[in-house]
Amino acid sequence: MYGAAGAPAQNALVPVVRSLRRPPPQATGVSFMNNQKQQKPTLSGQRFKTRKRDEKERFDPTQFQDCIIQGLTETGTDLEAVAKFLDASGAKLDYRRYAETLFDILVAGGMLAPGGTLADDMMRTDVCVFAAQEDLETMQAFAQVFNKLIRRYKYLEKGIMYFVEKKKIGNKLAMLTGVLLANGTLNASILNSLYNENLVKEGVSAAFAVKLFKSWINEKDINAVAASLRKVSMDNRLMELFPANKQSVEHFTKYFTEAGLKELSEYVRNQQTIGARKELQKELQEQMSRGDPFKDIILYVKEEMKKNNIPEPVVIGIVWSSVMSTVEWNKKEELVAEQAIKHLKQYSPLLAAFTTQGQSELTLLLKIQEYCYDNIHFMKAFQKIVVLFYKAEVLSEEPILKWYKDAHVAKGKSVFLEQMKKFVEWLKNAEEESESETEEGD
């Protein structure tokens, strides 16, 4: 088996391939014969089969478009048939991957080229929003198609508004969006797309919002719209539909009132007033905490009243709340009345500055009644507070008598009327005596 030099004979088994970089076997009969039974190494490698689900399909929106348009061609203008076709096609076509293309087709009629225009070399369909008639009834019918589609494939919800960002804006799309917001298919947070800086600057956002809110309010009402806006914290952002230099209540009101949306204008004005009131109360409390002079506080409040058109009866309510929040009240009922009288006596000049109208005085009386009822330790202090304010000329006879007769609220009514009984009788007698003196003088 071996030659003279100890090398293997020609008819020996083929030696191990050296290209595998393994150390060559020693030239001994035992080790070599043991290697005869070992598996021969291979250079071909091992092949693994790839499962189909691991193979990533090529992105081909054109092919997707052709499938959708072909189906729409077969359904024609029957929107109910269109809805059924789209619902069934979602099981075969990748709506999630081609959502942008799908909405290109359904809204514009075909794939949009960069810049928001229809590509000339692409298939088109007339079964789309932009090719439909511009009236609310037609948009409501299309809304049913989108409603069924989005409810079936929830991830398509935001697809409708990407057109806004692509500047493919139109009255029909705005009307459709309003209907979809009204029926709950879309969430009001979708309006974030309108706050794009370029769209706002070009006036596109405001114009789009007019048509959108008209159809939305037509389907619901301003209260339902307001509730939807509040739910997603959009109720205080509507001014942002205009550039920074035009973000004022006056400009917003004028623009939307002239466009036929007076109820939206009034809503925004009220929202701004509420915001101004909150800011006024916050600043008022800070000024009181710092111990600013009353004359400075009064001047500030009157300037805010004028700037934000806040009536005095509203302001006295804010001042009262601010005054009562600047102190930590004693928890013992027998001590809190004395503490309240001392505190309110100090702030009487400030309160008196904003009770120059009978309605303001009546508002203050109601605020005192509600506060004493809501804070049980103050239940016995109501009459003492009213008498203090009468002596300090914060309140006058007529509003007190009116409150006692029929202007009070139900909260603590029997307790507070009983407390006020003797004082009211005294006021009536004093009034009668004053009248008698006047007649005698005449």
Side-chain angles (χ1 to χ4, degrees):
M1 293 179 62
Y2 290 84
Q10 294 296 323
N11 61 349
L13 294 175
V14 178
V16 177
V17 180
R18 294 184 181 278
S19 62
L20 294 179
R21 297 182 181 178
R22 291 181 179 177
Q26 296 179 358
T28 62
V30 177
S31 65
F32 185 78
M33 289 303 292
N34 287 340
N35 285 340
Q36 291 185 54
K37 296 181 180 180
Q38 293 179 359
Q39 186 177 358
K40 295 178 182 180
T42 175
L43 295 176
S44 59
Q46 189 173 357
R47 298 183 64 185
F48 294 93
K49 290 185 178 180
T50 303
R51 291 175 295 183
K52 287 187 177 180
R53 68 183 185 185
D54 293 332
E55 294 177 359
K56 191 172 182 179
E57 295 182 7
R58 182 170 63 90
F59 184 70
D60 190 358
T62 303
Q63 184 180 358
F64 176 85
Q65 174 188 245
D66 293 347
C67 292
I68 294 293
I69 290 182
Q70 183 180 347
L72 294 177
T73 302
E74 293 173 2
T75 61
T77 56
D78 183 353
L79 294 182
E80 188 173 339
V82 169
K84 289 180 180 179
F85 160 72
L86 292 171
D87 183 71
S89 297
K92 298 175 288 184
L93 300 175
D94 193 346
Y95 280 177
R96 188 183 295 274
R97 193 178 189 193
Y98 296 105
E100 186 172 325
T101 303
L102 177 62
F103 282 103
D104 274 350
I105 298 165
L106 296 179
V107 178
M111 285 174 60
L112 296 176
T117 58
L118 280 170
D120 295 329
D121 57 343
M122 292 292 181
M123 291 180 66
R124 300 186 187 185
T125 178
D126 289 333
V127 186
C128 65
V129 174
F130 286 169
Q133 291 184 343
E134 188 181 319
D135 59 68
L136 190 57
E137 185 178 352
T138 302
M139 291 304 108
Q140 287 170 336
F142 265 97
Q144 289 302 312
V145 175
F146 283 87
N147 183 37
K148 293 174 182 177
L149 180 64
I150 293 173
R151 288 191 184 277
R152 179 76 170 80
Y153 304 101
K154 191 66 177 175
Y155 53 82
L156 294 176
E157 182 177 342
K158 292 185 180 179
I160 189 74
M161 286 303 287
Y162 94 98
F163 285 92
V164 178
E165 296 171 349
K166 293 180 87 170
K167 298 188 182 181
K168 191 62 181 178
I169 306 299
N171 292 340
K172 298 171 188 176
L173 179 59
M175 293 165 67
L176 173 67
T177 305
V179 176
L180 292 173
L181 284 165
N183 63 31
T185 304
L186 294 181
N187 187 288
S189 62
I190 210 102
L191 297 178
N192 273 313
S193 299
L194 291 176
Y195 299 129
N196 175 281
E197 185 179 353
N198 291 329
L199 295 178
V200 170
K201 185 178 180 180
E202 294 170 9
V204 170
S205 296
F208 190 88
V210 167
K211 291 292 183 180
L212 182 152
F213 279 109
K214 274 189 174 181
S215 60
W216 192 357
I217 293 171
N218 181 75
E219 295 288 304
K220 295 289 186 178
D221 58 36
I222 189 61
N223 294 324
V225 171
S228 297
L229 293 172
R230 278 195 302 272
K231 193 173 181 180
V232 293
S233 302
M234 287 287 222
D235 49 329
N236 292 318
R237 294 194 61 194
L238 294 180
M239 290 270 224
E240 295 175 36
L241 292 167
F242 298 100
N245 62 338
K246 294 182 179 179
Q247 289 181 13
S248 66
V249 177
E250 290 71 23
H251 181 78
F252 187 100
T253 301
K254 184 175 184 296
Y255 183 92
F256 280 94
T257 300
E258 290 178 354
L261 283 165
K262 185 178 180 181
E263 57 268 70
L264 184 65
S265 299
E266 291 176 350
Y267 167 72
V268 169
R269 182 179 287 280
N270 289 336
Q271 285 299 109
Q272 288 299 116
T273 301
I274 291 170
R277 292 173 188 177
K278 289 181 179 178
E279 189 62 32
L280 172 60
Q281 182 160 357
K282 181 182 176 182
E283 178 60 27
L284 197 53
Q285 290 172 348
E286 289 180 1
Q287 290 183 5
M288 290 180 185
S289 298
R290 293 195 303 263
D292 291 1
F294 285 162
K295 63 177 184 178
D296 294 343
I297 297 176
I298 292 169
L299 181 61
Y300 164 75
V301 173
K302 288 186 174 180
E303 286 176 352
E304 290 298 306
M305 287 173 63
K306 185 177 180 180
K307 183 171 71 174
N308 295 295
N309 196 28
I310 306 175
E312 188 183 82
V314 173
V315 170
I316 190 60
I318 295 172
V319 175
W320 164 260
S321 299
S322 300
V323 167
M324 297 304 284
S325 67
T326 58
V327 64
E328 186 174 344
W329 297 107
N330 200 303
K331 300 299 182 184
K332 295 182 179 180
E333 187 176 4
E334 62 273 15
L335 298 177
V336 77
E338 183 180 346
Q339 183 187 11
I341 295 303
K342 184 177 180 181
H343 178 70
L344 291 173
K345 186 175 182 179
Q346 178 187 351
Y347 281 93
S348 291
L350 178 61
L351 290 159
F354 303 102
T355 53
T356 63
Q357 304 170 13
Q359 187 59 44
S360 303
E361 294 182 54
L362 193 56
T363 298
L364 178 58
L365 278 163
L366 293 172
K367 290 291 182 182
I368 299 168
Q369 180 185 352
E370 290 174 356
Y371 188 90
C372 290
Y373 178 81
D374 293 337
N375 297 272
I376 193 167
H377 297 305
F378 282 80
M379 287 290 285
K380 294 181 179 179
F382 177 78
Q383 185 261 1
K384 294 178 180 178
I385 294 173
V386 175
V387 172
L388 168 69
F389 284 164
Y390 174 76
K391 292 179 178 178
E393 297 185 349
V394 176
L395 297 173
S396 56
E397 295 173 16
E398 188 175 341
I400 295 174
L401 295 175
K402 182 172 178 56
W403 172 87
Y404 186 84
K405 183 180 180 181
D406 55 20
H408 49 260
V409 292
K411 290 183 175 182
K413 169 185 171 182
S414 57
V415 175
F416 298 140
L417 290 179
E418 181 62 29
Q419 285 183 26
M420 291 291 292
K421 187 175 181 180
K422 290 184 179 180
F423 181 62
V424 167
E425 287 176 359
W426 180 83
L427 285 177
K428 287 180 178 178
N429 292 333
E431 188 177 20
E432 289 173 2
E433 290 177 6
S434 177
E435 290 175 356
S436 299
E437 290 176 1
T438 302
E439 288 175 2
E440 291 174 5
D442 292 341

